[in-house]
Structures are given as C-alpha cells and as structure tokens.
Amino acid sequence: MVEEARVKTEALQIMGVFHVLPRLVVFDLDYTLWPFYCECRSKREMPSLYKDARGILQAFKEKGVDLAIASRSPAADTAKTFLDKLNITNMFVAKEIFSSWTHKTDHFKKIHSRTGVPYSSMLFFDDEDRNIKEVSKMGVTSILVGNGVNLGALRQGLTEFCENVNTSEKNKQRWIKKFSGNSSSSDKNEKK
C-alpha cells in the first residue's frame, strides 16, 4: 500500500508536467499489467500486478483519464477473473479481451466504437512490437514496454503523446494557413 501510494504520487507529478493528457489509455494485460500469460495460470491462483501498475492506474483515474484493456489472450475467462481478484475491473470503461490474429486492430476498433474517443486521443501500452506497429498505424500513440508498465514507460508515453499532439496541431495550422492563403489569392484573382 505504501509503495502504491508512492507510485501514484510520482505518476501524478509526471502527469502534471504535460499540457495535455490522453482521453483514453489502453493497456495490454500479459507482461504489461501483470508478469505472466493468463493461459499458463489457473483461475484459482491469486495474480499480482507489476509493482508500478496499480499506482499508475489510480493516477490516471484521479486525473479523469479513462482506461481500457486490449488483450489477445486465449484465456479471456481467466483474465477477467484475475481483474476481479485484483479489484480493478471497474477501473476500465472498455475491456476487449479475445484471441485474434489482427495485432489488436479489431480490439481498437471496438474500443473506439464503444467510447467514441478518436485514435489520436489514445495512448497504448503493450509488450509486443507487432501490436505497437499495427496500432500506431491507426494513429494511436503506442509504447513498447519491456518490463511491464512502470514510471519510465509512463513518462515516455506521455512525452510521445504530447509530441504527436503538437505535430498534429502544427500540421493543422499549416493546412489552415495554406488554405486561407489560397482562398485569399483566388479572391484577388476574381477581383481582377
């Protein structure tokens, strides 16, 4: 409990540095929130999270950021049981847990449909590079974790999310400037 509170406090401090936060943060389960594959465990066991995971989840909730799960686990029942045992099921607005060959693109389509949150307003953590690559193509800021979700991954994720938002905003401003510049030049041509 003391460790969770420390991580939550530090996560809130990290979040406080950024001018914009994602509207939705999506987490993989196996080797991202917890250090095992569900299909290798029994529902009767008591699971555990990576040491920073609960504090990070709590910090996002405190900041009003919605959370979701995208897991390709073939043991969806076990995963749901573990979420209940860890008392975190209610933290997530969407839980897409099903086996798939699509690198989680189907998971994200369902999450987007359920929440209405644009892909560009999402941040995703996963331990598999192929999922990161494919989901990134959808416009989601996607972070590869090597040792589960931790404070370093959080900092990296928020940094990349803000960079993507800034780039998108700059491109939008360039487009508006270019478009408005073109329309005024065509107005000048019409006046001649």
Side-chain angles (χ1 to χ4, degrees), residues 52 56 60 62 65 71 87 108 116-117 141 167 172 176 181 185:
D52 291 357
I56 289 170
F60 275 124
E62 186 167 310
V65 175
S71 173
N87 202 25
F108 273 82
V117 175
T141 300
T167 300
K172 181 177 160 186
I176 290 170
S185 61

Side-chain angles (χ1 to χ4, degrees), residues 10 17-18 20 35 52 73-74 79 113 121 124 143 146 148 165 182-184:
E10 194 168 334
V17 170
F18 296 92
V20 64
D52 291 357
S73 176
S113 176
S121 296
F124 173 49
I143 303 301
V165 167
N182 286 345
S183 65
S184 60

Side-chain angles (χ1 to χ4, degrees), residues 3 16 30 34-35 46 70-71 106 120 123 126 144-145 156 192:
E3 181 66 12
D30 297 346
W34 51 52
M46 185 59 195
S71 173
D106 286 345
S120 61
L123 173 59
D126 196 302
L144 182 67
V145 298
Q156 178 190 355
K192 289 182 181 175

Side-chain angles (χ1 to χ4, degrees), residues 34-169:
W34 51 52
F36 54 83
Y37 290 115
C38 284
E39 62 267 28
C40 298
R41 304 290 291 268
S42 162
K43 282 191 208 179
R44 294 182 302 276
E45 291 180 55
M46 185 59 195
S48 61
L49 295 169
Y50 278 107
K51 73 177 184 69
D52 291 357
R54 188 179 302 270
I56 289 170
L57 295 174
Q58 291 170 345
F60 275 124
K61 291 306 284 183
E62 186 167 310
K63 284 288 194 179
V65 175
D66 285 333
L67 305 175
I69 293 169
S71 173
R72 292 185 317 120
S73 176
D77 286 350
T78 302
K80 290 173 184 171
T81 298
F82 286 172
L83 290 169
D84 285 340
K85 283 185 171 189
L86 290 163
N87 202 25
I88 59 174
T89 300
N90 294 335
M91 294 181 103
F92 301 96
V93 298
K95 294 177 281 305
E96 296 301 331
I97 306 169
F98 57 90
S99 189
S100 165
W101 297 104
T102 63
H103 310 296
K104 299 197 179 168
T105 52
D106 286 345
H107 295 74
F108 273 82
K109 288 174 186 171
K110 289 180 181 223
I111 289 168
H112 170 68
S113 176
R114 180 168 299 182
T115 64
V117 175
Y119 297 124
S120 61
S121 296
M122 295 181 189
L123 173 59
F124 173 49
F125 294 97
D126 196 302
D127 68 311
E128 289 188 48
D129 192 47
R130 62 188 175 150
N131 294 328
I132 296 298
K133 286 178 180 171
E134 292 304 312
V135 172
S136 290
K137 291 177 186 175
M138 301 174 82
V140 177
T141 300
S142 303
I143 303 301
L144 182 67
V145 298
N147 235 350
V149 172
N150 57 41
L151 292 168
L154 172 67
R155 188 176 290 106
Q156 178 190 355
L158 293 175
T159 300
E160 289 187 25
F161 180 80
C162 283
E163 287 170 358
N164 290 343
V165 167
N166 289 339
T167 300
S168 176
E169 189 58 35

